Amino acid sequence: MAEADKVVLVTGGAGYIGSHTCKALSQCGYVPVTLDNLSTGHAAAVKWGPLHHGDVRDTRFVADVLSRTGAAAVMHFAASAYVGESMTDPQKYYRNNVTGMTALLDAMTLTGIETLVFSSSCATYGEPAVSPIAEDTAQVPINPYGRTKLIGEQMIQDYACAHSLHYAILRYFNAAGADLDGDLVEDHDPETHLIPCVLNAALGLTEEFRIFGDDYATPDGTCIRDFIHVGDLADGHTRALDHLLGGGASLTLNLGTGHGSSIMDVIAACETAAGRAIPARVVPGRKGDPARLVANSQRARELLGFRPTRSDLPTIVASALRGLRKVHGVAG
C-alpha cells in the first residue's frame, strides 16, 4: 500500500471511541487525521496525528481538509450519541447526525474519496423480537438517536448506488472501558455511560447510582446490554478499513461479544473492582430504553477475523476504574 493510502480522516477523532480508534490506526501503520469541533471531545486525546478544529457539517471545510491531507479514506464518528437526550432534544440529533452525514458525503463526492467506515449503532434495531441480534434483524428504532443512525446508513447506501462509494457500516453495541495502556480515558461531561456512572458512585464522586427501572422482562428485572471494550471496537474499525482498502466489498456488520450483562451484573462487578458497596436506588425506567440488546457478531468474525479479546466484564470495569481515578485524581 502506498504511503498516501495510509492517511485516514477521522471525524470525531477527539471523542471517546474515535480517539481509541486513532491509536489503533497508528499502531497499524495509518496516519489518523482528526476533524473535531471539540464540543464533546478533548484536544488532549489527539495524540497520533494532526487535529483540524472544525465542524463536520461544513462541507467546504471538510472537503478542504480531505484535499490538503491527501486522505484515502474516512472514518465517521462525529455525532450526538445519547439515547435519553435524543428523546428530549430530537432536533439536535437530526441537525448533527443527519446534516453532518449529508455534508460529509458531499465533501467525499467533491474530492473523490470513495472509502468510508461508519460508526452506526445497535440502537437502529429498536426493541428486537430476537436475541442475539443478527444484521438482518428488522431495524425499527424507538428513539431519535437510533433513527438518525439508521438514516445515516440509508444515506450511505444511496450514495453508494449513485457514486463509487465503498463502505463498512459497523453497528456496535455498548462501548465501555478505557485504553489498557492508560494512554486514553473515558471522560464525558456530563457522564451518562453506565459503567463510569456506577464507578463514580463507588468512588464517592456522586451520591448514588440510579437504576432506571427494575421491571423489564429480564431475569433480574434490569436492562441487559452487550458491553464491548472500546479497544476491541477500535480493532474492528481498523479491520474493516483494511478490508475495504484491500479491495473487499462493502459490508454491514455488528460489533459485539454475544454476551449480555444486566445492570445488576455491572453493579456487582464494579463493587468487586472498587472493593466497596455501591449506593444504588431504583427510579422509573426511561423512554426509549430496550430491555435487551445482545449482538450476533458471527459475520464480523467470518469476514474480518474480529474476535474481542478485552471485553470480559472484569477487564472492562478495571480499565474504566483506572481511567476514572486518573481523570479525577482519586487514589487507587
Side-chain angles (χ1 to χ4, degrees), residues 82-295:
Y82 298 124
V83 168
E85 181 188 53
S86 79
M87 298 293 287
T88 59
D89 191 5
Q91 59 270 36
K92 175 179 179 180
Y93 282 70
Y94 285 93
R95 183 171 59 247
N96 290 347
N97 299 359
V98 178
T99 304
M101 177 62 80
T102 303
L104 175 63
L105 289 171
D106 286 348
M108 292 178 66
T109 301
L110 286 170
T111 54
I113 308 301
E114 299 178 347
T115 302
L116 174 64
V117 178
F118 176 49
S119 164
S120 190
S121 171
C122 62
T124 63
Y125 294 114
E127 185 79 75
V130 298
S131 182
I133 304 163
E135 289 84 357
D136 58 359
T137 300
Q139 290 175 281
V140 189
I142 60 175
N143 52 65
Y145 169 63
R147 280 190 279 274
T148 57
K149 284 293 186 178
L150 178 55
I151 291 170
E153 291 188 13
Q154 294 166 338
M155 291 175 66
I156 290 169
Q157 292 160 357
D158 288 340
Y159 272 69
C161 289
H163 306 285
S164 298
L165 178 65
H166 306 285
Y167 63 84
I169 293 171
L170 303 180
R171 298 174 189 150
Y172 44 79
F173 286 62
N174 281 60
D179 179 52
L180 297 183
D181 299 326
D183 292 330
L184 294 165
V185 298
E186 183 172 7
D187 185 10
H188 301 115
D189 185 18
E191 184 56 74
T192 64
H193 287 193
L194 173 66
I195 290 175
C197 284
V198 176
L199 290 171
N200 281 341
L203 295 174
L205 298 171
T206 56
E207 183 177 341
E208 63 183 7
F209 173 71
R210 293 182 298 164
I211 301 169
F212 289 100
D214 63 352
D215 57 354
Y216 289 92
T218 62
D220 63 23
T222 63
C223 290
I224 290 176
R225 295 291 183 264
D226 185 337
F227 294 96
I228 179 167
H229 194 279
V230 65
D232 286 330
L233 277 180
D235 174 65
H237 283 74
T238 59
R239 287 175 180 271
L241 182 64
D242 286 343
H243 168 84
L244 294 175
L245 292 178
S250 294
L251 41 74
T252 298
L253 300 173
N254 289 336
L255 295 183
T257 69
H259 175 73
S261 299
S262 73
I263 307 302
M264 298 308 298
D265 292 333
V266 170
I267 292 174
C270 290
E271 288 181 334
T272 298
R276 67 193 68 176
I278 295 173
R281 176 171 60 94
V282 177
V283 299
R286 299 177 296 189
K287 292 182 179 180
D289 273 346
R292 182 190 301 265
L293 292 172
V294 178

Side-chain angles (χ1 to χ4, degrees), residues 302-323:
E302 293 173 351
L303 298 177
L304 301 181
F306 174 72
R307 288 175 176 79
T309 61
R310 293 155 277 202
S311 292
D312 59 284
L313 199 54
T315 297
I316 287 174
V317 169
S319 68
L321 181 58
R322 285 194 299 270

